[in-house]
Amino acid sequence: MNGRADRFLPYGRHEVDEDDIAAVAAVLRGDWLTTGPTVEAFEAALAARTKAGFAVACASGTAGLHLAMMALGLGPGDRAIVPTITFLATANAVRYVGADVVFADVDPETGLMTPATLEAALGRAGSGRKAVLPVHFGGRPVDLPGVAAIAATAGIDVVEDAAHAIGTTYRRDNGPATPIGDCRYSRMAVFSFHPVKTIAMGEGGAITTNDATLHERLARFRSHGMNRDLAYDAEGVANPWYYEMPELGYHYRATDIHCALGLSQIGKLDRFVARRRQLVERYRRLLAPLAPIVRMPVTPADAGAAWHLCAVQIDFAAAGATRAQVMQQLKARGIGSQVHYIPVHRQPYYEARYGTLSLPGADAYYRHCLSLPLFPAMADADVERVVAALSEALGLR
Ligand SMILES: Cc1ncc(COP(=O)(O)O)c(C=O)c1O
């Protein structure tokens, strides 16, 4: 592939081809625009891909996290542990159900929650019912067996925020690689298919689970809390108009239009993940001479990463440049970059609620992080262009 030096490189971009467009157009010509057979086909494809028993498609990853919290029955007085390096949505979903967030620190190099940072957060969590939401940040897998072992000892539920992690695999010891979303170590896993993610639905998300009761609750809360299974009475007499709402739900349904795109994109997931891995490998090689100012910490678990982000660590102070200056210089050269993420515990809403917390791993991670362009349509030469521009912006050549 050839890179074009004049095109703007965003930090992430969807890849939609003519066959994706044809799949959406076919739905538009058909009988169903909202919840029809394509939603079911998408759910079946996702369950097969993640090796989960069930998948529930919904309006967004955020809606999926909210549904997961509702399905668990978490509410006021309960607590959920959330790594502070994540998007706002992970913590906000906990607040939507009236539960409280206990922020966990992260590894300062990878930005991931670890068994140790979970244990430390549990020590601050107090009594009452709890859950933990490990985030497979950037598409790198959290140590799920390690996190799940601590959660099991503490008797708390695990819900994976897998918004970045469709296509990611993980291992238990030296066992075979298995997909994130199989829920072997969790009650549920929640995905996002926002266009910067590895596959796109426009807006969209999904929850996977192996638990039939949770599946039923997720599906019900997704559609106003309505139960239509009561359309037959005890004698089997049909009351086809009948529905009941035992608990409050929302309108968080996905549409056939969105699921047509999602279904078409799932078919390309292996190609997208493989290309992302190639590009990250290239970044790793080309960035190596910029160490120790620029580092891309790579861990053994990263073998299974479906890199959603190429988030590098940069010692801006040692380079004598601020992050804003570096981002501006990259932008002037037609290169987008982004910061993932401002620690959520530092947001005014959460500081007002929980005070100022000291989470030094997250602060160190945040101080040094910068996400460089990464999307499957990038050419090898684009990586060279980004690394050259970054070296220059940091005064390293
Ligand atoms: C870690 C994480 N969780 C949840 C979400 C929410 O996903 P959505 O944008 O589909 O609502 C995002 C979106 O960026 C995310 O990055």
Side-chain angles (χ1 to χ4, degrees):
M1 274 197 242
N2 294 315
R4 287 220 346 250
D6 57 343
R7 72 169 177 161
F8 186 80
L9 283 177
Y11 85 84
R13 195 183 193 289
H14 59 273
E15 188 168 323
V16 169
D17 301 326
E18 287 306 316
D19 59 334
D20 297 310
I21 294 168
V24 175
V27 165
L28 289 172
R29 291 194 184 92
D31 294 333
W32 298 89
L33 295 187
T34 59
T35 311
T38 314
V39 175
E40 275 177 34
F42 174 69
E43 290 175 339
L46 188 65
R49 174 75 209 200
T50 56
K51 301 194 173 146
F54 308 96
V56 175
C58 58
S60 66
T62 306
L65 288 165
H66 187 188
L67 288 168
M69 296 299 98
M70 285 193 283
L72 281 186
L74 235 59
D78 298 332
R79 311 250 186 284
I81 296 161
V82 171
T84 189
I85 295 294
T86 186
F87 184 53
L88 302 170
T90 324
N92 290 355
V94 175
R95 293 295 304 130
Y96 293 162
V97 294
D100 274 296
V101 180
V102 178
F103 287 106
D105 206 354
V106 298
D107 179 299
E109 288 284 297
T110 64
L112 294 172
M113 172 191 267
T114 66
T117 65
L118 168 58
E119 240 173 347
L122 270 169
R124 290 184 269 111
S127 58
R129 189 168 165 214
K130 292 181 210 74
V132 57
L133 287 89
V135 177
H136 303 296
F137 168 61
R140 315 169 94 169
V142 166
D143 173 3
L144 268 184
V147 161
I150 289 168
T153 307
I156 69 175
D157 290 312
V158 180
V159 175
E160 298 168 67
D161 182 335
H164 297 181
I166 186 71
T168 298
T169 60
Y170 68 100
R171 285 172 193 276
R172 178 181 188 170
D173 302 325
N174 290 323
T178 176
I180 291 289
D182 71 351
C183 298
R184 193 189 297 181
Y185 293 101
S186 68
R187 306 291 309 278
M188 290 170 274
V190 181
F191 294 92
S192 164
F193 305 119
H194 177 280
V196 293
K197 305 296 185 330
T198 300
I199 63 168
M201 269 172 79
E203 294 284 1
I207 309 113
T208 57
T209 184
N210 294 319
D211 182 320
T213 306
L214 287 175
H215 174 238
E216 184 276 324
R217 286 171 69 76
L218 290 166
R220 181 152 47 82
F221 289 131
R222 172 181 65 174
S223 194
H224 306 282
M226 279 196 298
N227 187 355
R228 286 187 178 279
D229 293 345
L230 304 169
Y232 294 87
D233 67 18
E235 277 75 50
V237 178
N239 297 312
W241 69 90
Y242 192 73
Y243 51 83
E244 267 181 16
M245 192 190 86
E247 292 170 278
L248 186 66
Y250 290 77
H251 176 177
Y252 278 163
R253 294 189 301 265
T255 70
D256 265 32
I257 302 173
H258 292 92
C259 287
L261 181 55
L263 186 58
S264 179
Q265 292 255 304
I266 281 187
K268 303 171 182 186
L269 181 56
D270 287 335
R271 173 162 71 79
F272 289 165
V273 169
R275 181 65 188 146
R276 284 172 178 275
R277 285 183 181 152
Q278 278 174 354
L279 290 165
V280 164
E281 182 55 26
R282 194 165 188 84
Y283 266 123
R284 202 177 62 75
R285 273 194 284 118
L286 295 181
L287 289 172
L290 310 192
I293 302 273
V294 182
R295 297 182 320 280
M296 198 158 77
V298 179
T299 69
D302 289 342
W307 298 90
H308 156 54
L309 298 172
C310 180
V312 299
Q313 289 275 291
I314 300 177
D315 190 342
F316 293 100
T322 67
R323 179 159 52 191
Q325 286 167 341
V326 171
M327 290 177 78
Q328 274 155 9
Q329 286 201 39
L330 290 175
K331 191 170 173 202
R333 284 166 177 71
I335 295 166
S337 59
Q338 191 49 276
V339 172
H340 297 95
Y341 289 98
I342 302 167
V344 183
H345 75 279
R346 298 250 174 237
Q347 292 297 339
Y349 170 84
Y350 286 108
E351 284 206 331
R353 194 167 176 86
Y354 303 126
T356 306
L357 305 173
S358 168
L359 298 172
D363 286 340
Y365 185 84
Y366 170 56
R367 205 163 43 245
H368 298 134
C369 66
L370 190 69
S371 299
L372 303 176
L374 183 68
F375 53 94
M378 273 176 73
D380 291 352
D382 289 330
V383 178
E384 276 144 41
R385 188 180 138 202
V386 174
V387 173
L390 182 65
S391 311
E392 209 169 301
L394 292 168
L396 297 176
R397 63 193 242 162

